[in-house]
Every structure is written in C-alpha cells, then in structure tokens.
Amino acid sequence: MTNLRARNFDGFIPTSAVGVEYVRENESFSIYIGEYQICRISSEGSGTNLKISLEIFDAKLYSNNAEKITSIISLYQDV
C-alpha cells in the first residue's frame, strides 16, 4: 500500500484528495511518498495553450507509482 501525498506551498494533502479544483488552483505541486519527493507537476497557460511539465526526481519511485501519478496528470484534461 502506498501513502502518496501532494505538497504545495500550504503543505501536504493525500493524493486521494487531489482533484480538478486542486490542479486548477496550484500551478506547481510535488508528489511524495513518506519523506521522498517523487516528482513535481507544473502547469502554465490555459485552454489549448496549457502546458504541463513533469520533473521526475526518483525514477524507481515514479515507476512504482506511475498509475496514480498518471491519473493525477489526467485531471488537466478537465481544467
């Protein structure tokens, strides 16, 4: 069982609480497991000019959690 958390400037929340509203309100946030930062997801622009950046800091942790992280990235389809 993974305990993934998202972190923005306000602190941590469980990734299960990350929805369209969260990605809309946060231009950048990181995904952690425990104390380890897996990746940072950033967005810029809007509509057809929306650009998403993914910085991966730990390839193994990313690979082990890619399905959940991909589901978070897919939220941008509804932004």
Side-chain angles (χ1 to χ4, degrees), residues 2-44:
T2 59
N3 187 19
L4 294 179
R5 302 180 297 161
R7 180 175 185 259
N8 63 10
F9 292 111
D10 295 326
F12 288 99
I13 66 166
T15 53
S16 59
V18 174
V20 174
E21 187 93 10
Y22 186 85
V23 299
R24 193 177 283 149
E25 292 175 358
N26 294 281
E27 289 182 3
S28 179
F29 60 94
S30 295
I31 304 296
Y32 283 76
I33 187 164
E35 298 177 18
Y36 300 101
Q37 185 178 18
I38 299 173
C39 64
R40 179 176 26 246
I41 302 168
S42 304
S43 63
E44 182 180 314

